[in-house]
Amino acid sequence: LDLRQNSDVHEACVADLLAGAGVEKAYLDLAEDARVALLLRELQGPRLLSTPYAKLADRTQGELAIFRAAAEARARQGEAAITTSIISKTTSLSDMLEPMLLMRETGLLTPGTPPRAHLMVVPLFETIADLKAAPDIMRAFLALPGMATAARARGAQEVMIGYSDSNKDGGYLTSTWEL
């Protein structure tokens, strides 16, 4: 099995967690480089953002429940039960780091420098603009400490490309060219 969620949902959940923990009240207003720096700092440390004292949105609680269920399935059925977390509508490096923060909250990521994710984050690049940005996003992701090493240890870093959405976005010829 794998997990799959839209990057907008991950983004909203991370913003909710960061605000609830008093770390960053305006995560959604941050520039991409500030988001990445904040996420990398959080992924290095073991402090959890979710507490019983923070009033989290239902969506955030639901997403955390999904990741907790994945951790439980892996504990009961073995690591091969769930191996990937697919991020649809990936448009940035922070889109790949946000589910990793949710994994950290639920025991699916061991914090540190580098952090060790127990699920592979798999970006899904869907629009023409996303397909054009994909090589730079993947280079930046694999340049982060430990990410290329983790990919080599797994044997690969999966990447998904969306032929259907890119076809709707740019037409058949443009879509085929960009794919």
Side-chain angles (χ1 to χ4, degrees):
L1 299 175
D2 57 48
L3 303 180
R4 182 173 176 156
Q5 186 54 272
N6 187 297
S7 64
D8 292 339
V9 173
H10 290 150
E11 179 185 69
C13 293
V14 166
D16 190 29
L17 283 166
L18 291 168
V23 173
E24 176 57 61
K25 299 287 184 197
Y27 177 75
L28 299 176
D29 296 332
L30 295 177
E32 175 66 7
D33 59 338
R35 284 185 184 196
V36 169
L38 173 58
L39 292 167
L40 290 174
R41 274 193 314 273
E42 287 298 323
L43 289 171
Q44 291 173 0
R47 174 192 51 140
L48 298 179
L49 300 171
S50 54
T51 73
Y53 308 108
K55 175 66 177 130
L56 297 175
D58 289 343
R59 180 183 348 194
T60 304
Q61 292 177 31
E63 285 303 305
L64 290 172
I66 290 168
F67 280 97
R68 285 186 190 107
E72 184 177 328
R74 287 173 55 89
R76 286 185 175 186
Q77 304 297 323
E79 293 179 3
I82 300 175
T83 59
T84 58
S85 178
I86 300 167
I87 310 148
S88 62
K89 199 180 161 202
T90 301
T91 63
S92 64
L93 178 56
S94 63
D95 288 342
M96 294 184 69
L97 298 174
E98 289 161 349
M100 293 176 72
L101 189 62
L102 298 173
M103 285 185 230
R104 198 267 323 258
E105 292 294 307
T106 58
L108 289 169
L109 181 137
T110 305
T113 308
R116 190 172 72 83
H118 304 289
L119 301 179
M120 179 185 351
V121 290
V122 178
L124 171 52
F125 299 103
E126 300 178 80
T127 68
I128 299 301
D130 298 342
L131 291 169
K132 287 181 177 184
D136 289 336
I137 292 169
M138 292 310 302
R139 273 191 284 279
F141 180 73
L142 292 170
L144 294 174
M147 297 306 169
T149 302
R152 279 192 294 279
R154 284 189 303 268
Q157 168 61 54
E158 291 180 35
V159 174
M160 296 174 70
I161 52 177
Y163 62 89
S164 176
D165 286 325
S166 62
N167 190 21
K168 290 179 216 169
D169 183 35
Y172 178 75
L173 182 61
T174 302
S175 173
T176 302
W177 179 263
E178 292 303 331
L179 290 169

